[in-house]
Amino acid sequence: MLLRLLEATEGTISFENQEVQNLSDVEMKKLRREMQLIFQDPLASLNPRQTVEKILEEPLIVHKIGDKKERRQMVKEILEVVGLDEYHAKRYPHQFSGGQRQRIGIARALMTRPKLIIADEPVSALDVSIQSQVLNLLKDLQEKFNLTYIFIAHDLGVVRHISDRVGVMYLGRLVELTDVDELYDNPLHPYTKALLSSVPIPDPELEVEDEDVIGGEIPSPSNPPKGCAFHTRCPFAMDVCKEVRPAFEEKESGHYVACHLYE
Amino acid sequence: MPQTEVKKDTVKVKNQQAVTQPASPWKDAWRNFKKNKIAVTGTIIVLIFTIMAIFAPWLTPYSHSSGQLVDRLQPPSSDHWLGTDDFGRDILSRIIHGARISLTGGFAAVFGSIIVGSLLGVIAAYYGRWVDTLISRIFDVLLAFPSILLAIAIVTILEPTLQNALIAIAIINVPNFGRLIRSRVLSVKEEEFITAARAVGMNDRRILFKHIIPNSITPVVVQGTLAIATAIIEIAALSFLGLGTQPPKVDWGMMLSESQQYIVSAPWTMIFPGLAIMLTVLGFNLMGDGLRDALDPKMKS
């Protein structure tokens, strides 16, 4: 929605003090240079009939940056930055491994030197060993290019590793938002608590305690329950939860939560 | 590239990979195609007929349009390898010349329908809504007619010439290609790399021509090859009915039509043009099947 790939139905989205949803096509194109996307499935997000060189060059052509020679030079540089070799430029996406493909996806997002990168589960399609490589690459790039990430993930280990601030969503709404350490040490919302307790602990000796594990099925996201969307599965649900949707408010300093328990 | 080679020993293995040429999807397909003996046979048949068509004037022992009436309806002999027809014309020469019309006609008609069909199909799929409904219904209407009847109707309205016969054949093939490319584009445009292209800020035209169409044409190539075979049959059928090629030009369908009366007394007048049609169509079909196997998206990666 921030990139206007989907139009917002209500509310406002702003990026550097501009309200994104009201921009004209020309303004939007300028803005797209500033924010780029990394996709979940690196193979699906790369055109199978283009060489890596063409894929990486294209954002530059679209935004009219540099001439052909300069663009080729930039492609070479960026390949090195993301840890690929120069000769990879002439290859096609299907000739790479998953980790390499994701590096290409990251390289493409970097081509226009954006300020913001939205990463949609960029490592969930990768092997665990490759995940850490890609995550560390993303961290390095963040420092190098002074980037902001909006990092979407479901793997809580990954989230803890990469995030500064974490927002927890349930059925399309934020239920909790705070700094990463605060969230992991002091989760407030019952859903966040349940999430954190469901992280598997790598110790086979440990007995499984399922006190905190929540039961039930996720209700339909297109028709979420009335009141607090989580009340159907919440162990602390009160009567008010079934009727009134809790406001998303700052309950402790820098710690936002939407839950009636803290009112 | 040479600089990276000297840098480190550890990259040696990688550099060996670099020496082998990276294969494009088309090269991959060509490698698969070459392995398929049946498809290669089909291609060779097609090539032979194509060469015959191109060099017809230099290959033919006799004139294709005039003959010696004394030699009429001669059976195959060393003078006339495939015999002569009722005007004493050499059948081999006529078949070689007929290849010109059948092949160029087949190509031209299919090319025309690919262009028009793809254009309509892409427009329908990409813009959707009422445009899609309108174009798809037109396709449905065209497909509702038996195709050869529709072709006959179009030619009779336009006046029977070869050119009009080709136009008619092109028209009746348009909905096939239109539907094919429409369904391809519909699925390709949902792919993530199209979303990626949009996120980069590309305009519709660039997305269409650089991303959607290159990923949608493979089935059209296959269908096109197969359609040439049908188009050749359709040209022959129209000529057989006197609605296509007009004398003094010669066409396999016309030869069949002229030889009707002699089917018993001089069967070679009918058998050889028929064989020519059959072989060409077979060649294109084998080639098309081979292409389909080679370009099958499942073979990728």
Side-chain angles (χ1 to χ4, degrees):
Chain A
M1 264 192 230
L2 185 51
L3 286 161
R4 293 252 312 262
L5 295 170
L6 292 172
E7 292 293 338
T9 48
E10 54 180 328
T12 58
I13 304 165
S14 27
F15 177 74
E16 297 192 322
N17 301 323
Q18 282 179 296
E19 286 203 356
V20 175
Q21 76 274 22
N22 295 326
L23 292 179
S24 70
D25 286 355
V26 181
E27 289 169 316
M28 195 59 218
K29 190 170 170 181
K30 266 189 216 147
L31 204 58
R32 289 216 160 104
R33 213 180 137 168
E34 307 290 327
M35 40 199 207
Q36 286 292 320
L37 206 56
I38 299 174
F39 290 86
Q40 178 171 16
D41 180 348
L43 183 58
S45 64
L46 302 171
N47 184 341
R49 300 215 168 261
Q50 282 183 317
T51 57
V52 170
E53 192 169 41
K54 289 224 178 81
I55 292 172
L56 296 182
E57 200 184 354
E58 205 157 28
L60 300 179
I61 298 173
V62 171
H63 291 286
K64 303 195 175 65
I65 303 170
D67 57 28
K68 199 171 172 92
K69 223 173 130 191
E70 288 168 9
R71 289 199 296 258
R72 289 280 148 102
Q73 187 56 38
M74 288 169 82
V75 169
K76 272 186 206 165
E77 283 165 13
I78 214 86
L79 279 175
E80 205 166 298
V81 168
V82 297
L84 292 170
D85 283 308
E86 216 181 297
Y87 66 82
H88 283 134
K90 299 280 180 212
R91 298 197 167 188
Y92 289 85
H94 71 267
Q95 293 162 316
F96 290 91
S97 69
Q100 286 174 316
R101 282 177 202 145
Q102 195 54 289
R103 283 168 195 268
I104 298 165
I106 293 168
R108 171 172 60 187
L110 287 173
M111 285 316 287
T112 58
R113 299 290 136 92
K115 294 181 182 136
L116 170 73
I117 288 184
I118 302 168
D120 181 6
E121 304 215 7
V123 294
S124 55
L126 305 175
D127 277 348
V128 178
S129 57
I130 309 294
Q131 281 191 358
S132 62
Q133 289 177 17
V134 172
L135 284 176
N136 289 332
L137 172 68
L138 285 170
K139 275 199 142 179
D140 293 345
L141 294 173
Q142 184 168 35
E143 265 172 46
K144 197 164 180 177
F145 293 99
N146 203 8
L147 296 166
T148 306
Y149 291 130
I150 296 181
F151 196 96
I152 302 159
H154 61 255
D155 183 326
L156 293 164
V158 169
V159 171
R160 184 164 208 172
H161 184 70
I162 196 135
S163 308
D164 297 320
R165 265 174 105 212
V166 185
V168 181
M169 293 185 87
Y170 184 74
L171 289 179
R173 283 181 185 278
L174 274 172
V175 295
E176 188 160 2
L177 172 72
T178 186
D179 292 342
V180 62
D181 292 331
E182 171 78 5
L183 185 93
Y184 281 80
D185 297 340
N186 178 26
L188 292 180
H189 198 279
Y191 177 62
T192 316
K193 286 180 184 165
L195 260 187
L196 292 176
S197 71
S198 68
V199 176
I201 299 156
D203 181 358
E205 307 284 307
L206 205 77
E207 289 292 315
V208 183
E209 314 161 40
D210 42 355
E211 295 162 22
D212 283 347
V213 177
I214 50 172
E217 292 289 319
I218 302 172
S220 154
S222 58
N223 185 21
K226 210 177 147 201
C228 175
F230 191 55
H231 82 258
T232 51
R233 302 166 71 199
C234 181
F236 312 107
M238 301 174 289
D239 285 343
V240 61
C241 301
K242 292 174 189 159
E243 297 301 328
V244 185
R245 182 189 293 147
F248 189 64
E249 285 169 342
E250 190 167 6
K251 295 290 152 69
E252 290 168 25
S253 152
H255 195 151
Y256 295 79
V257 71
C259 183
H260 289 304
L261 285 176
Y262 301 96
E263 273 162 8
Chain B
M1 212 176 280
Q3 298 129 341
T4 53
E5 281 179 55
V6 258
K7 249 191 221 161
K8 284 178 244 162
D9 283 352
T10 43
V11 288
K12 229 177 190 174
V13 190
K14 288 181 189 168
N15 279 323
Q16 278 174 348
Q17 290 175 336
V19 180
T20 56
Q21 268 286 312
S24 80
W26 291 110
K27 272 188 200 146
D28 272 350
W30 171 236
R31 214 178 308 131
N32 287 330
F33 187 77
K34 272 195 300 191
K35 277 187 226 150
N36 187 342
K37 286 203 184 75
I38 296 175
V40 173
T41 317
T43 315
I44 290 171
I45 296 175
V46 170
L47 277 180
I48 290 174
F49 275 100
T50 313
I51 291 168
M52 262 171 53
I54 294 172
F55 298 106
W58 294 278
L59 288 175
T60 48
Y62 298 91
S63 155
H64 63 89
S65 51
S66 58
Q68 302 289 323
L69 270 179
V70 211
D71 293 336
R72 74 189 292 262
L73 298 175
Q74 296 272 315
S77 65
S78 55
D79 277 350
H80 299 280
W81 288 0
L82 303 181
T84 59
D85 68 3
D86 52 332
F87 288 107
R89 294 173 298 198
D90 181 49
I91 289 181
L92 178 61
S93 306
R94 282 171 73 73
I95 285 179
I96 292 176
H97 267 274
R100 290 191 138 181
I101 284 178
S102 291
L103 289 179
T104 50
F107 274 116
V110 169
F111 190 72
S113 45
I114 286 181
I115 298 289
V116 179
S118 303
L119 194 74
L120 290 174
V122 168
I123 292 173
Y126 197 73
Y127 292 102
R129 300 198 230 196
W130 66 269
V131 187
D132 186 17
T133 317
L134 181 75
I135 293 175
S136 298
R137 288 302 83 77
I138 295 174
F139 289 165
D140 287 346
V141 169
L142 282 174
L143 284 172
F145 290 102
S147 56
I148 195 73
L149 278 187
L150 184 61
I152 291 169
I154 297 171
V155 178
T156 20
I157 294 169
L158 291 176
E159 156 186 26
T161 63
L162 177 64
Q163 198 193 340
N164 289 339
L166 297 185
I167 292 175
I169 291 163
I171 291 175
I172 60 174
N173 278 311
V174 160
N176 295 329
F177 290 105
R179 283 186 151 194
L180 187 70
I181 202 144
R182 176 178 169 270
S183 65
R184 259 316 271 186
V185 170
L186 278 180
S187 73
V188 170
K189 85 171 182 179
E190 298 304 324
E191 297 261 355
E192 211 163 47
F193 63 85
I194 302 299
T195 319
R198 213 162 272 149
V200 162
M202 275 178 229
N203 55 22
D204 277 7
R205 210 182 56 207
R206 190 176 178 92
I207 292 177
L208 257 183
F209 285 96
K210 295 270 173 176
H211 295 270
I212 293 184
I213 293 180
N215 282 289
S216 311
I217 49 167
T218 37
V220 174
V221 172
V222 174
Q223 181 65 32
T225 322
L226 297 171
I228 290 177
T230 0
I232 288 173
I233 293 182
E234 280 155 356
I235 295 172
L238 287 179
S239 298
F240 183 85
L241 297 170
L243 294 171
T245 322
Q246 303 299 326
K249 285 204 176 133
V250 61
D251 167 69
W252 297 337
M254 197 166 90
M255 291 172 74
L256 283 181
S257 147
E258 285 166 354
S259 60
Q260 283 178 81
Q261 315 158 37
Y262 312 103
I263 187 164
V264 179
S265 58
W268 55 89
T269 54
M270 176 163 265
I271 288 170
F272 292 116
L275 267 179
I277 296 175
M278 198 204 82
L279 272 176
T280 322
V281 170
L282 182 73
F284 275 107
N285 278 333
L286 296 180
M287 195 166 110
D289 282 345
L291 274 179
R292 181 167 49 208
D293 292 345
L295 294 172
D296 194 309
K298 272 171 270 167
M299 305 280 285
K300 262 192 294 183
S301 90

